[in-house]
Amino acid sequence: SQQGEEDPQALSIQEGENATMNCSYKTSINNLQWYRQNSGRGLVHLILIRSNEREKHSGRLRVTLDTSKKSSSLLITASRAADTASYFCATERRDDKIIFGKGTRLHILP
Amino acid sequence: DSGVTQTPKHLITATGQRVTLRCSPRSGDLSVYWYQQSLDQGLQFLIQYYNGEERAKGNILERFSAQQFPDLHSELNLSSLELGDSALYFCASSALTGWDEKLFFGSGTQLSVL
C-alpha cells in the first residue's frame, strides 16, 4: 500500500476532553501534514511539521513527529462539537508524492 | 472556500462509459493533484501535474488518464468504467514552491457507476 496508517480508526470522546490520533508511515519524508475532512467534503489543511522538527503547536493543535519510529501524533485539546470530523495524516515523501492515510473518524459527544 | 473548483459535483453513469472530471486550481497555483476516495481504500493518490507536465504518478489505472492545460485547469478522464470506480474524486492544488507544500482541496466529484 502507498499509504500510512492512522490509529485509531474511530474515536469518540466527551466535549472538553483531549483527542489524540496517531499516524505511522513507511518511507523517509520531507514533511508530515494533518488535514481535516467534514463529512463528504474537501480536506482542509491543519498543520505541517518538517522532518527536522519534533513538535509544533497551532491553537488547540499539537503535533509531534518521531522520524526514528516513523510516527506522528495529533493532539486536539479541549475538544468541541465542531471538531467532529475525519482527520488524515499526509506525508510528503522524498519523491515529492503526498500520500494520505485512511484517516481517524473523531466524534465529539455533547 | 478553498479556491479550487471541481465540476461536476455529482455524476451518475453506467458501466463501460467514459466520463471527464474537471478541476480549476487556485489562482496562481501551478500544481494539480488528483485523489480517489473510497470507503475501503481511503484517499488514494492518482497523479500530479505541474505547469502542464506530469510530475508524479500513483496508483492510477490504465483506463484513467489526466492532463493539465495551458490555462492550468486539469481534467481526469475515466474510461471503461466499472462498478468499483464509484468513489469521490478530489482535485487539489498547491503553489509548489519546493518545500512545505500545502494542498488546497476542491469539494470533489461524487461518481456513481451503475
Side-chain angles (χ1 to χ4, degrees):
Chain A
S1 168
Q2 58 173 262
Q3 297 173 322
E5 297 280 337
E6 281 98 340
D7 168 56
Q9 288 187 333
L11 178 62
S12 292
I13 60 171
Q14 294 293 138
E15 193 168 11
E17 294 181 340
N18 297 340
T20 299
M21 288 158 270
N22 302 298
C23 168
S24 60
Y25 57 91
K26 298 175 182 176
T27 63
S28 296
I29 62 173
N30 296 329
N31 64 60
L32 185 143
Q33 307 175 39
W34 286 89
Y35 289 78
R36 184 183 72 203
Q37 182 182 33
N38 289 92
S39 180
R41 306 181 82 169
L43 282 73
V44 176
H45 181 267
L46 294 176
I47 193 167
L48 179 152
I49 186 165
R50 294 177 179 169
S51 60
N52 62 353
E53 296 176 313
R54 291 298 165 255
E55 186 171 314
K56 201 159 184 181
H57 297 253
S58 176
R60 294 184 296 113
L61 305 180
R62 173 180 169 251
V63 172
T64 62
L65 179 63
D66 186 335
T67 53
S68 67
K69 295 181 180 178
K70 291 187 169 58
S71 67
S72 172
S73 68
L74 171 67
L75 169 68
I76 303 174
T77 60
S79 63
R80 305 168 181 169
D83 295 329
T84 293
S86 292
Y87 291 82
F88 294 84
C89 72
T91 52
E92 183 183 311
R93 305 189 323 193
R94 298 286 191 219
D95 60 4
D96 294 332
K97 292 179 182 176
I98 300 178
I99 304 300
F100 286 78
K102 291 189 176 183
T104 292
R105 294 187 309 279
L106 175 64
H107 186 206
I108 308 300
L109 303 168
Chain B
D1 182 7
S2 67
V4 178
T5 303
Q6 283 189 252
T7 56
K9 291 192 185 306
H10 298 93
L11 201 48
I12 301 174
T13 188
T15 55
Q17 294 298 305
R18 172 188 169 96
V19 296
T20 297
L21 313 183
R22 183 187 168 101
C23 169
S24 294
R26 285 190 327 157
S27 177
D29 283 355
L30 298 180
S31 192
V32 169
Y33 306 71
W34 286 98
Y35 289 87
Q36 177 193 57
Q37 185 176 34
S38 57
L39 284 175
D40 57 341
Q41 292 294 321
L43 207 67
Q44 292 276 336
F45 169 67
L46 296 178
I47 199 163
Q48 180 198 359
Y49 280 84
Y50 173 73
N51 204 20
E53 300 289 328
E54 181 183 305
R55 193 162 190 271
K57 212 167 191 176
N59 295 343
I60 188 166
L61 299 172
E62 285 192 10
R63 299 183 287 109
F64 296 1
S65 65
Q67 59 184 127
Q68 186 179 28
F69 294 86
D71 66 353
L72 301 177
H73 91 271
S74 177
E75 292 181 357
L76 178 67
N77 299 296
L78 315 176
S79 61
S80 302
L81 285 167
E82 302 175 358
L83 295 177
D85 298 327
S86 295
L88 193 50
Y89 290 84
F90 284 108
C91 162
S93 73
S94 74
L96 202 66
T97 57
W99 286 103
D100 298 350
E101 296 305 321
K102 291 188 281 191
L103 299 185
F104 294 86
F105 279 78
S107 56
T109 293
Q110 180 68 59
L111 174 66
S112 299
V113 182
L114 305 178

